[in-house]
Amino acid sequence: MFASPSHALNMDVGHTLTTDSPFHVGTQKFADILKEKSNGKINVTVFPHSQLGGELTMIQGAVAGATDLFVTGQPTLNNVVKEFLVFDAPFLFDNVAQANEILSGPAGDKFLDILPKYGLVGLGWFSAIERNVFGNRAINSVDDLKGMKIRVIQSPGYVESYKALGAQPTPMAYSELYLALQQKVIDGAETTPDQFVSDKFIEVSKYFSMTHVNIHPALLIMSKTRWDSFSTDEQKMVKEAADEAMAYAREYYHKVYDEGMKTMKEKGVTIVQPSNLESLIEATRPVVKKLIGEAPNGQELYDALMAAKEKAGK
């Protein structure tokens, strides 16, 4: 049962990455599936490259009902949804596969259930994103990070974590990073294997160290105002399309991650598996405690994730 023709069913979805990114591939898949499910009645247009604004602008726009849909990495979401600060905790997950398994279960639902009170509806989780340190030195233990000037995501947990590791987290626009590395103004940064390759950091970095200090989620989110304007049947179609598209996007992330690792090896970047990862985990324990304390219901949400982690992969 569809609403009257005056009920516009055209929507825009925005993200900040390139057209070959998992964000784009996932949202395009969502648009295609939804068009098919609704027999062409619900049309979604994808806007990559921050065309609808940066992540924070899109989040605020959706809260206000001005932006229909967007994809965001969780760190930016912390600005509006304080509970999500728990995901900034270092070494929260062991790997991407484990993170995806946990997020797609009841622990992930706990976080999605928080969003409506902020005017947002979580349609689903993209793949969790693993961030590693790259730059001009290999990271085998916490000692290797001492005094290292590293550009990190400007989210409290990231800055605190790298301070605890003895590094100097350095704020810098992502667009300036390549030149800063080339001119040795900065010693390194943290990113994903696929972005490391696609953004050509491969040309200005010798080492890619598998530190995975942070593995953070990404989400497809809809404005609650927009969601509420849809009929129950339409909402069901939107949710089903999102579920299928997110599964597809997780697979795609897995593919580009593997391709990134392969390209690095071929181009002579040294991939480092830290021999003493435990020293990094130990150094950041106080940060975990601090972040859980700062997030509303932080302990309860953290415990839910840890309980799911116990069960994951068993």
Side-chain angles (χ1 to χ4, degrees), residues 204-223:
V204 288
S205 297
K206 293 180 195 157
Y207 300 99
F208 192 89
S209 300
M210 305 302 288
T211 49
H212 56 78
V213 177
N214 295 96
I215 297 178
H216 75 245
L219 303 88
L220 174 62
I221 295 177
M222 189 169 176
S223 160

Side-chain angles (χ1 to χ4, degrees), residues 26-296:
T27 46
Q28 195 55 62
K29 191 74 173 171
F30 169 70
D32 294 344
I33 295 168
L34 191 50
K35 187 172 187 175
E36 195 181 319
K37 276 188 190 293
S38 67
N39 296 321
K41 290 195 175 74
I42 306 178
N43 291 289
V44 177
T45 308
V46 184
F47 289 89
H49 291 301
S50 307
Q51 287 174 34
L52 299 184
E55 287 183 343
L56 189 56
T57 303
M58 290 190 290
I59 294 165
Q60 289 167 337
V63 169
T67 302
D68 300 321
L69 294 146
F70 63 93
V71 179
T72 184
Q74 156 271 325
T76 317
L77 202 55
N78 296 345
N79 292 286
V80 175
V81 186
K82 303 292 184 204
E83 287 91 340
F84 275 64
L85 192 60
V86 169
F87 287 121
D88 268 17
F91 301 104
L92 188 62
F93 304 112
D94 297 338
N95 52 56
V96 169
Q98 182 198 67
N100 288 342
E101 186 183 335
I102 291 168
L103 292 169
S104 62
D109 291 345
K110 257 186 184 298
F111 284 88
L112 295 182
D113 291 345
I114 290 163
L115 293 170
K117 75 174 182 189
Y118 291 98
L120 303 168
V121 174
L123 296 181
W125 304 97
F126 267 77
S127 175
I129 295 163
E130 176 193 295
R131 304 185 68 86
N132 299 292
V133 174
F134 65 89
N136 59 17
R137 67 171 93 155
I139 310 299
N140 273 298
S141 76
V142 72
D143 297 337
D144 298 320
L145 282 154
K146 293 275 185 289
M148 194 172 173
K149 285 176 89 169
I150 298 181
R151 188 267 180 194
V152 303
I153 288 181
Q154 285 303 294
S155 188
Y158 285 67
V159 174
E160 296 278 339
S161 295
Y162 282 91
K163 277 184 182 165
L165 291 166
Q168 290 178 35
T170 307
M172 176 178 290
Y174 191 70
S175 55
E176 294 167 16
L177 184 52
Y178 181 95
L179 203 59
L181 284 160
Q182 195 178 41
Q183 295 175 346
K184 302 199 170 24
V185 172
I186 200 163
D187 301 314
E190 42 87 51
T191 194
T192 62
D194 54 306
Q195 294 240 209
F196 178 75
V197 172
S198 65
D199 292 334
K200 308 224 176 346
F201 296 128
I202 205 160
E203 299 169 353
V204 288
S205 297
K206 293 180 195 157
Y207 300 99
F208 192 89
S209 300
M210 305 302 288
T211 49
H212 56 78
V213 177
N214 295 96
I215 297 178
H216 75 245
L219 303 88
L220 174 62
I221 295 177
M222 189 169 176
S223 160
K224 188 171 184 299
T225 307
R226 197 66 218 270
W227 171 261
D228 290 344
S229 74
F230 277 35
S231 71
T232 310
D233 283 353
E234 289 159 3
Q235 288 177 349
K236 186 169 177 278
M237 281 189 278
V238 169
K239 188 71 182 82
E240 284 172 358
D243 287 344
E244 284 179 47
M246 293 303 95
Y248 184 82
R250 286 192 289 271
E251 279 301 307
Y252 183 79
Y253 177 81
H254 187 58
K255 183 169 82 84
V256 294
Y257 178 103
D258 289 348
E259 282 169 4
M261 295 295 284
K262 187 166 166 268
T263 305
M264 275 186 234
K265 284 176 189 156
E266 286 167 359
K267 301 281 187 190
V269 170
T270 304
I271 296 168
V272 183
Q273 300 290 347
S275 54
N276 187 0
L277 195 63
E278 193 55 44
S279 64
L280 276 72
I281 296 169
E282 275 303 314
T284 53
R285 282 196 207 282
V287 180
V288 177
K289 204 170 173 201
K290 184 170 186 282
L291 291 169
I292 293 164
E294 287 173 4

